[in-house]
Amino acid sequence: MIGTARRRRDGDAKVRGATRYVGDMPAHGLLHARPVLAADAHARLLAIDTDAALAVPGVVAVLTHADLPLAGGSGRAAEPLAREEIVWAGQPVALVVAETEAAAGDAAALVDVDTEWLEPVLDLEAALADGAPAARLTERAGEDESAASAHGGSEGGTEAAGGGSPNVATRQRLQRGDVDAGLAAADHVVRGRFRTSWVHQAYLEPQSTLAWVDPDGTLVVHSSTQGAFMVRQGLASTFGLPMERVRVQAAPLGGAFGGKLMIAEPLAAAAALTLRRPVRIVFSRTEEFAAGNPAPGQLIDLELGAMRDGALAAIRGRVVGDRGGLGDMGVEALSTLLAAGPYRWPAHDLTAVGVTTNRVSPGAYRAPGAPPAAFAVETLLDELAQALDLDPIALRLKNVLVAGDRGLDGQEIKVIGARECLARLEKHPLYVKRDELPEGEGVGLALGFWPGGLEPAAAICKLDADGRLTVVTAAADMSGIENAFIAIAAAAFGLPEERVRVTTGDTGSAPYGGVAGGSKVTYTYGRAVERAAEQARERLLDVAASELEIAPEDLEVADGEVRPVGTPGRAIAIADLAAKVYTFGGRHRPIEGYGSTAQVSRAPGAAAHLSHVRVDRETGEIRLLAHVIAQDVGKALNPALVEGQMHGGTAQGIGWALLEELGHTDEGQLQGATFAEYAVPSTDQVPEIEALLVEVPAPDGPFGAKGVGEPPVCAVPAAIANAVAAAAEIRPGVLPMTSARVW
Ligand code: MOS
């Protein structure tokens, strides 16, 4: 069961349209909500005229900030509708609730928002300038770094915000050793400035939430979310409700990639609490682009030095990340950590700066901050290899982190397969023949790295009366983790996979667990499932031992039965044992196990890429001809699904590299807020991806497995940029590398 390629269980239903998403769920007396989005990027909100909207047949209410039962606080979740200041074009300012989606949509267009224009701050460099206009005039109640840390970053020391700009929201510095001396002593120093664009997660299913209030006052929320408990805590705090009065069920996800960590929930919940009827909100595609929480634009300055033999000497840099107008979450701290790559540095000095602007408040997107960071550091390493006339893989092998090293955060790394990924590509034909390609073609190499998230995770495994094992966790199923949980529980308990079922993401029945994100679900929840199944198996053996009058250590579980080791004759079917347990007057305690992952170490993920491109010297078009990824996955529980993650991550990295950008007008209005205009890679633009599995077992992971979702995306733009440099002798410093920019 472990290590065999199998089809994804939820795959058929998803491709056939049979999956019931939140948008498909029935509810009695359902109302539909539609947000009214601000047109200005920065403005004072003077008045909202709802008369025309309320006159539309079927409209039940038009809610504004003053109508919501909010408990106070600041940030995106705490103020779901703009209060007195609009801080981005697309910020929800009102919510129309109607009997039909059509009525809500018609009425939303009739809501009249009166504003006083304020100068918007849209560009990161302009926002940082001395004397820049303030992107936000009203006071904020302090920063919340929890979203970033949930994704696995280390925070380092926080300094007071400074400089001559009113828009610097946060500043953090990671520093060790004498960087000035290191750079002065280096034989060669390379430096660069890198700009990356805002990129949307572009999941197919938009943000969707259905909320109602039960007769006992409990707020019940079904949502397309990655974190059931996260949403429960968030809603309890937004609306001042006791935690036991909020129940959240994470629904099937039609894609998330980090973007579904609480955007639509406060809107739907506010309406349900106010109107006491079930309310559903399903974002339109345009609302997604304008009012979602995409990956922010970044500005990275990096400088690094090395000795003639390739030994790295020191790195210095600054990562500026856009925090948008409400800025709950920034990715610049993580990005700063990742800008050093998975390498040993005798000295480093890296600063993260979070900047308030009049853009949407950003969120997480698959390896938050990593693709820009890897773009910067791997471009410079490529330049360094060229300047020192060193083999790019050899340069990296000389410096790469191995088990026992300490990362930038000072923590000892227990296991990391970066070296093995590089070694896997060293002999690859594409790498070997990279200098013999036709004119205009090039192969680029880059190494990506993800620290691996950690959050509490727990699981319950219980044998039910029908002889099946039920696995209960709070994990939202973002990427088919049901498949992994079933395989792990079946193997650890001793039942065939068909006799294991999984329930996920219900705060009403699951023990506490963190969000599905950070590449940690299989690693942490999976480990908890393994422990819970093992404990349940011990209980099963106790029951069987008492029934068979044989010591438990002389029994084994196999083929759906418990039998004495080596004597198959006297066996009891697990189903019969279950029937004996769950009967009135029975003498056995329930067969259940609990597992958690209180103490596991981080399992960083690494992936090395080779990208083969052709650059058209006439048009500047960059064409990907081939792509190879070698990723350390610990242990591939189901190689088909792991390869799927590698393909998907690579494809998204291709989007980062060549196509994707949430552009805006000079006034800050979003350009291209549909899939017709926002270009994600089409099959024509994604070459066949060769996925090479590297398995360096993670000691704390279930069966040696580790998280595989985020590592594959990290270094794709870097590999493509390095291939462009090899093909056309141009070093792109901007993502996406559109021909207009590169040429
Ligand atoms: Mo993610 S960006 O860890 O969901």
Side-chain angles (χ1 to χ4, degrees), residues 49-62 96-98 103-104 106-108 110-111:
D49 183 349
T50 61
D51 289 354
L54 283 169
V56 172
V59 169
V60 172
V62 181
V96 177
V97 189
D106 288 351
L110 298 175
V111 174

Side-chain angles (χ1 to χ4, degrees), residues 349-419:
D349 185 359
L350 296 158
T351 302
V353 182
V355 176
T356 307
T357 67
N358 296 115
R359 302 287 310 252
V360 66
S361 54
Y365 173 29
R366 201 169 191 160
F375 174 51
V377 67
E378 293 293 312
T379 291
L380 292 182
L381 285 180
D382 205 59
E383 219 177 306
L384 196 64
Q386 200 175 27
L388 296 173
D389 199 21
L390 294 170
D391 175 282
I393 289 185
L395 170 66
R396 286 166 176 82
L397 282 174
K398 191 174 181 67
N399 297 287
V400 78
L401 292 171
V402 296
D405 284 337
R406 286 181 191 280
L408 241 55
D409 56 6
Q411 287 183 28
E412 188 184 323
I413 294 167
K414 258 185 143 178
V415 62
I416 181 168
R419 168 180 292 277

Side-chain angles (χ1 to χ4, degrees), residues 151 226 256-259 261 364-368 450 478 516-519 710:
H151 276 78
Q226 292 167 241
F257 309 115
L261 294 168
Y365 173 29
R366 201 169 191 160
W450 178 250
M478 174 158 67
S519 301
E710 279 160 320

Side-chain angles (χ1 to χ4, degrees), residues 677-725:
E677 300 145 300
Y678 180 87
V680 295
S682 63
T683 48
D684 173 51
Q685 289 156 312
V686 179
E688 194 159 327
I689 295 162
E690 188 182 338
L692 305 173
L693 297 173
V694 177
E695 295 185 314
V696 180
D700 288 339
F703 300 95
K706 64 162 75 164
V708 300
E710 279 160 320
V713 75
C714 305
V716 179
I720 295 174
N722 290 341
V724 169

Side-chain angles (χ1 to χ4, degrees), residues 463-468 493 495 499 540 543-544 546-548 559-562 569-583 586-589 591:
L463 189 69
D464 288 317
D466 62 358
R468 287 167 188 259
F493 187 82
L495 268 178
R499 311 203 59 179
L540 175 79
V543 172
S546 120
E547 289 291 326
L548 292 169
D559 306 325
E561 55 184 35
V562 184
R570 288 184 65 201
I572 302 192
I574 290 174
D576 293 339
L577 286 168
K580 281 188 199 301
V581 170
Y582 300 106
T583 178
R587 55 199 179 92
H588 302 292
R589 286 187 294 124
I591 296 173

